[in-house]
Amino acid sequence: MFVCFVVMLRRAFLQAWRIRRQGPGVNLLRKSQASVTSMKNVRTMSSNWNHENRYHDPVVVDVTPREPLSPATYEAVCEETLESLCSALEELLETAASQPGVDVELSNGVLTVKLGEAGTYVINKQSPNQQIWLSSPVSGPKRYDFVDDGWVYRRDGLQLHELLSRELSQLLGTSVDLSLCSHTGS
Amino acid sequence: MALTNLRSICRSLPSLAPQLSVLTAQYHAKVIDHYENPRNVGSLDKGDKSVGTGLVGAPACGDVMKLQIKVDENGKIVDAKFKTFGCGSAIASSSLATEWIKGKSLQDAGKLKNTDIAKELCLPPVKLHCSMLAEDAIKAALNDYQVKQSSLSGSQAD
């Protein structure tokens, strides 16, 4: 009986570890392929998709068209952007770090900034689109393209660091300036 | 002695339950409902002049949504269908979107925001992008319908 218990515990741990590493969507994703969309339809949909243009923004403001970066350049730029943001935010939140629910963590290209009751920012790299994706508790999700050494949201032309500075100033009640971080635009 | 150890393990099992539950990922009940009972799954005739088709996302990103609307002569959406390849939150967002736009006029459907979808499904921060994709799918379908109508009226004028 003890052996059965150990086996059961090991299975539960391995499953939870698998989900934690791959994300909660994996098991539902596999099931969704069978129940919602057949694999044939998925192949048809993806083959109809213009892979050159990737994500088609239905609403686009006139922003300087971006030149595709080489994968190595994109990875390097993303790493510099996220690391400099992480350092700046850690310094900014140093005094507030002792409060419950306040934390800054950078791991595997995902920067998570927890501000307790004010909400959580998630800023992550999105390699297939060569973008940085932002999820803000104030203004919602946004996708940034690398234009003129800065990250710009094509729907309103605003810079990533400008938006973060403005929103964090409001949330924290103090003036926040992230313009000294890497890749804030020319 | 072995029995004593076994008894102590069994007694400690209930206290382990909270720790074990933390290890498993939790989807909100509404997301699970839309995932297990998706509304309006299917396709409409893409060539039909009263049908608008929106296709957004990219397979490489992990989410692709196809959302189609059927509009009557009064500009009201009488039917909506979707097919989504993606995570549970993406499926739930597009399913909810088709539920909400059915019966609405084109103008009202265009006012639907990703924040409404995210709030209704209680999406976590990392899944807000799924609700944005659903909003984009609606806008793309509306746009496609408008383009079709413009080309039809243009050809009739000629």
Side-chain angles (χ1 to χ4, degrees):
Chain A
M1 188 173 164
F2 176 72
V3 171
C4 289
F5 168 72
V6 169
V7 168
M8 190 180 70
L9 195 62
R10 182 176 175 270
R11 268 192 207 152
F13 175 78
L14 283 175
Q15 189 183 3
W17 180 249
R18 210 176 296 125
I19 289 172
R20 192 175 172 176
R21 280 188 67 187
Q22 295 171 358
V26 167
N27 292 335
L28 286 183
L29 174 59
R30 287 201 196 101
K31 193 176 170 187
S32 76
Q33 291 172 359
S35 65
V36 178
T37 310
S38 69
M39 284 310 293
K40 183 183 168 188
N41 286 342
V42 165
R43 278 197 291 274
T44 307
M45 279 163 65
S46 62
S47 65
N48 286 342
W49 185 247
N50 185 347
H51 290 279
E52 293 301 309
N53 291 334
R54 295 194 179 96
Y55 178 75
H56 278 300
D57 244 324
V59 181
V60 174
V61 166
D62 227 357
V63 170
T64 310
R66 65 175 177 89
E67 295 296 320
L69 302 168
S70 72
T73 307
Y74 167 76
E75 294 293 324
V77 164
C78 267
E79 200 175 322
E80 285 162 12
T81 305
L82 293 177
E83 280 182 2
S84 77
L85 259 178
C86 183
S87 303
L89 292 171
E90 275 174 345
E91 204 177 309
L92 177 71
L93 296 171
E94 207 174 346
T95 49
S98 56
Q99 291 179 23
V102 177
D103 185 39
V104 179
E105 185 190 345
L106 175 59
S107 170
N108 291 335
V110 181
L111 175 60
T112 308
V113 184
K114 293 180 185 170
L115 299 175
E117 287 182 4
T120 300
Y121 282 86
V122 178
I123 305 162
N124 63 284
K125 65 175 183 178
Q126 186 69 12
S127 305
N129 285 349
Q130 292 197 340
Q131 289 177 330
I132 278 186
W133 285 13
L134 164 77
S135 172
S136 159
V138 175
S139 52
K142 289 183 170 59
R143 304 174 181 200
Y144 292 87
D145 291 292
F146 193 62
V147 177
D148 293 336
D149 197 38
W151 294 95
V152 178
Y153 184 42
R154 297 169 81 222
R155 297 193 188 191
D156 56 22
L158 287 180
Q159 273 269 351
L160 169 66
H161 295 82
E162 276 176 30
L163 180 103
L164 284 174
S165 299
R166 192 173 63 209
E167 287 189 0
L168 288 171
S169 299
Q170 282 175 3
L171 288 176
L172 301 174
T174 177
S175 175
V176 174
D177 182 16
L178 297 170
S179 59
L180 295 177
C181 292
S182 303
H183 304 295
T184 54
S186 51
Chain B
M1 187 174 169
L3 272 176
T4 313
N5 288 339
L6 200 54
R7 278 200 202 101
S8 64
I9 288 167
C10 292
R11 277 192 211 112
S12 68
L13 274 176
S15 65
L16 285 176
Q19 282 82 1
L20 285 174
S21 68
V22 163
L23 291 175
T24 58
Q26 300 279 343
Y27 274 96
H28 194 272
K30 287 181 183 176
V31 173
I32 293 175
D33 177 39
H34 275 277
Y35 167 75
E36 292 187 341
N37 307 296
R39 287 69 151 156
N40 307 313
V41 176
S43 289
L44 299 169
D45 180 9
K46 198 176 166 185
D48 189 334
K49 60 181 181 183
S50 64
V51 169
T53 301
L55 179 62
V56 293
C61 293
D63 285 333
V64 181
M65 281 183 198
K66 184 177 82 167
L67 193 145
Q68 293 179 297
I69 53 172
K70 190 173 178 67
V71 186
D72 67 7
E73 55 276 358
N74 300 320
K76 191 172 146 193
I77 296 171
V78 293
D79 198 11
K81 295 284 184 199
F82 85 98
K83 278 189 178 179
T84 293
F85 170 76
C87 65
S89 299
I91 293 166
S93 298
S94 41
S95 171
L96 185 67
T98 56
E99 258 195 320
W100 277 359
I101 60 174
K102 252 187 177 177
K104 282 200 166 61
S105 66
L106 294 171
Q107 290 78 15
D108 289 340
K111 291 176 189 166
L112 187 64
K113 288 275 157 236
N114 67 84
T115 44
D116 302 326
I117 297 173
K119 199 173 170 186
E120 173 67 20
L121 295 173
C122 304
L123 296 181
V126 72
K127 293 295 180 185
L128 293 185
H129 296 284
C130 299
S131 62
M132 175 64 95
L133 201 64
E135 182 191 327
D136 289 347
I138 295 170
K139 286 195 163 59
L142 293 170
N143 191 48
D144 182 61
Y145 175 76
Q146 298 291 3
V147 165
K148 263 185 182 173
Q149 293 304 303
S150 307
S151 61
L152 275 170
S153 57
S155 60
Q156 280 169 5
D158 291 341

